[in-house]
Amino acid sequence: MSFSVKGIYGSGMVLQQKSVNLIRGTGTIGETVVLQFNGKKYKAKVNKCNEWKIKFKTPAAGGPFTLNLSHGSESIIFEDVFVGEVWLLSGQSNAQLPMARMRFTYPQEFLLPKNDNIRMITIPISYSFVERKDTIENPQWMAASPETLGDMSGTGYFFAKKLAEELGIPVGIINSSQGGSPITSWMSEESLKKLGKEDYLKKLEFVKNPENVKAKLAAVNESQSKWNELINSNDVGLKERWESVPFNQLDEEWKVCSIPGNFDEIKTAGVMWFKKEFELSKDQAAAFNEKNPQIWMGTIIDADKVWVNGSYCGETGYCYPPRRYPIEKGVLKEGKNTVTVRVQKNGGNPIVFYDEKQYCIFNEDAVVVPVAIRNVEQRKDSKFDENSYIDLKGQWKCKKGCSCENAPGGIFFEWEPTALYNAMLSPCMDHTIKGALWYQGESNAGGYGEYADLLEEMIYSWRKAFAYSKKDFPFVVMQLPNWSDGKQFDSPDALCWPQLREAQRDAVESTKNTALSVNIDAGEWNDLHPEKKYTGGTRAAMQALRIAYGCNIAAAPQVQTVDSGDDSWIVTFDIDGSNLSAYAMNNESVDFNKQCNIVEGFTLVTEDKKLVSVKGKLVSNKEVMICREDLPAEYKSAVFKELRYLWEDNPFYINLYNGEKIPACPFRIIL
């Protein structure tokens, strides 16, 4: 058998400092494998199963080193190896979301020189239901640089950046994450059996049979293909090439509409077409064409395709990503120009162009901030003029292309129980890590009742599976931020995110050496994938610094007690040695330069489950008072059963923080 190394070893990697590390692989039976690293030599013989393994010790942080392996006349050399702190990042899309998505939110990061102290490996997406994989093909570790940054997880990058800055040593991130994945896809079969999760085990039995997987995949692909043919063949706009129809030749069936907005004319699936005309002067057209013009169309439900003057710009096949497409040089012209957008609706939800997103055409002279980011972020404000920016919001025209039956359901086998644990996590388990960072929960919000138990068991099993890492290694859980699926305020069809946040908190409180990173202000009400990864990643790193490195950083303020009186309630917070401060609000934004004593976000619940909003008053560095006199008249003498704080999918006003600018954790408590 050929000489090889298994796992995620590769040039440019980071090894955990001052620890025992394991390297293993395959070779010829009886042959000796020699490892040379940091001036020391280690040896092992290839056993009867063609396998070898070597344990070796790493020094204090430093580098670059060379790790040399020899096997007879063969050798494997890993260069540019650093020793420092290694953290595992896992979860779903917000753990996975690459910096390329945030190029316009954090442009300054893409101008920084190469940073050898920030390194990352991204585990390729794959799934397995039977075999626990022990290696990945051609592992690619990369250091942060303008050329590589776009491929790095935004959460992982800002987490590593904060740690590297504070510790002054290399930090390596193992990014093993996958969009949409529920927690059970990251758990072992043994863990599911231990918890008695028969429903998940039943699913697992089905997908363990490769013939079942093959047949299901074929059936789904066939039904999806037939539906795609149906909707495309029915779409009059495709047949008549509406993208090329001049704006002044649109017939009377094209109705005036406004973007952003919601469109529910089609009750099932179907297609709507949208057109807008704008005019450019000769100088404007020249300025745009010379400097890499782009068109942004916010975010859209469900799928879209965009043309400018009949020239194709780009398309997106599902509802969440921002629509940001290049416009070819020479397409924009002096005089009248037309934008055409074809939107495909896959089911019963209305077509949506999300509010508070950018709908515009601009060139590289403009500075365009894609989202309204509160001032907990660090970024430049928008800057542009008429030669670099065209606003596309406002009046458009629209026409239905077709309607048809709803799209068939898809299948994602990587979301099935154990799929990612076996395929994406298992190959990393021999790599010694300092700790783990977990950003997941969106896909489990509807099942919040079981989530705490699942997360506790997952933490326990991971600590056991990473056998060469320290027992009870630090584990940071990122609590879900604010979001409401495009609804600016919570609605009756709420998403259960408060309950999932509570389950995350409960799991952290029930496990050792675990921290909760509170990010209730780090979301965007209209985007499942908020671009505020600086806030999320940095806050998570602060909690890692607290529990893993002993830094003097407070945990997020947590409710400790609520004392009820005749005329008031006193809420006491555990402030972990810090101080509470309330800050003035300016619309959605909190002004950290202006303190106040009013605390937003409390809700009292009556015996008959009516919700009564009320403001609190900060009366000490850890206490907030809620007074009956501040309640509406009809509730001043009511009996209340529960007090809630920020207990919404998308709390609108958030202004209570500790000294490290970490927000107080949402809670509900029985009175």
Side-chain angles (χ1 to χ4, degrees), residues 209-246:
N209 186 332
E211 293 303 315
N212 290 342
V213 172
K214 182 179 179 181
K216 181 67 174 177
L217 189 58
V220 168
N221 287 341
E222 182 180 6
S223 61
Q224 187 67 57
S225 179
K226 288 181 177 179
W227 185 83
N228 288 337
E229 291 177 7
L230 174 67
I231 195 169
N232 290 334
S233 62
N234 286 348
D235 184 6
V236 180
L238 283 181
K239 294 176 184 176
E240 298 180 358
R241 299 203 59 186
W242 289 352
E243 74 274 13
S244 300
V245 176

Side-chain angles (χ1 to χ4, degrees), residues 46 68 174 237 253 275 372 432 446-447 458 461 476 485 560 598 601 637:
V46 180
N68 193 313
I174 303 169
E253 292 183 4
K275 275 186 176 284
T432 304
M458 192 196 80
S461 66
V476 178
D485 197 18
Q560 193 171 45
I598 301 300
S637 59

Side-chain angles (χ1 to χ4, degrees), residues 620-640:
S620 76
N621 71 336
K622 64 177 182 178
E623 294 173 319
V624 176
M625 176 184 290
I626 298 168
C627 299
R628 279 191 178 272
E629 66 181 25
D630 294 328
L631 294 171
E634 64 269 31
Y635 293 108
K636 287 188 184 296
S637 59
V639 176
F640 295 102

Side-chain angles (χ1 to χ4, degrees), residues 140-343:
Q140 296 292 311
W141 287 81
M142 61 182 73
S145 71
E147 295 75 29
T148 63
L149 183 58
D151 294 325
M152 289 184 163
S153 155
T155 295
Y157 169 72
F158 285 115
F159 178 84
K161 184 178 181 181
K162 178 67 173 179
L163 288 187
E165 288 173 348
E166 295 296 327
L167 301 175
I169 59 176
V171 175
I173 302 294
I174 303 169
N175 175 21
S176 182
S177 52
Q178 163 64 347
S181 56
I183 188 172
T184 47
S185 64
W186 296 101
M187 297 178 69
S188 68
E189 183 175 358
E190 291 79 7
S191 287
L192 297 176
K193 286 180 177 178
K194 179 180 175 181
L195 294 173
K197 296 298 181 181
E198 295 298 330
D199 49 346
Y200 298 115
L201 293 170
K202 187 175 180 179
K203 285 184 178 181
L204 181 56
E205 282 306 308
F206 177 83
V207 294
K208 271 186 173 182
N209 186 332
E211 293 303 315
N212 290 342
V213 172
K214 182 179 179 181
K216 181 67 174 177
L217 189 58
V220 168
N221 287 341
E222 182 180 6
S223 61
Q224 187 67 57
S225 179
K226 288 181 177 179
W227 185 83
N228 288 337
E229 291 177 7
L230 174 67
I231 195 169
N232 290 334
S233 62
N234 286 348
D235 184 6
V236 180
L238 283 181
K239 294 176 184 176
E240 298 180 358
R241 299 203 59 186
W242 289 352
E243 74 274 13
S244 300
V245 176
F247 195 83
N248 61 5
Q249 294 181 22
L250 300 180
D251 60 39
E252 66 277 3
E253 292 183 4
W254 285 84
K255 306 299 183 184
V256 174
C257 65
S258 182
I259 290 179
N262 292 17
F263 302 86
D264 60 359
E265 290 86 345
I266 303 173
K267 301 305 179 184
T268 57
V271 174
M272 289 284 289
W273 290 72
F274 300 84
K275 275 186 176 284
K276 184 177 181 68
E277 186 176 66
F278 62 95
E279 196 161 354
L280 294 176
S281 68
K282 182 178 180 180
D283 289 343
Q284 284 178 307
F288 276 104
N289 282 319
E290 289 172 4
K291 296 186 176 180
N292 301 317
Q294 293 200 34
I295 181 168
W296 285 8
M297 286 302 300
T299 50
I300 302 171
I301 291 180
D302 283 298
D304 73 290
K305 186 177 288 188
V306 175
W307 298 263
V308 173
N309 293 335
S311 176
Y312 171 77
C313 297
E315 61 188 284
T316 304
Y318 65 110
C319 59
Y320 292 120
R323 275 51 176 182
R324 300 170 185 169
Y325 307 128
I327 301 174
E328 289 188 5
K329 184 176 181 179
V331 166
L332 294 169
K333 61 185 180 180
E334 178 184 1
K336 297 184 183 301
N337 294 260
T338 303
V339 176
T340 306
V341 182
R342 176 186 186 263
V343 179

Side-chain angles (χ1 to χ4, degrees), residues 422-468:
N422 292 333
M424 293 179 61
L425 200 64
S426 187
C428 310
M429 289 176 179
D430 286 339
H431 207 93
T432 304
I433 61 173
K434 177 68 173 186
L437 174 62
W438 177 246
Y439 191 167
Q440 192 276 338
E442 300 92 332
S443 290
N444 286 93
Y448 60 84
E450 65 176 356
Y451 191 81
D453 288 341
L454 291 170
L455 182 53
E456 288 176 39
E457 171 58 25
M458 192 196 80
I459 293 170
Y460 169 81
S461 66
W462 283 19
R463 285 171 168 168
K464 186 176 179 181
F466 281 78
Y468 296 93

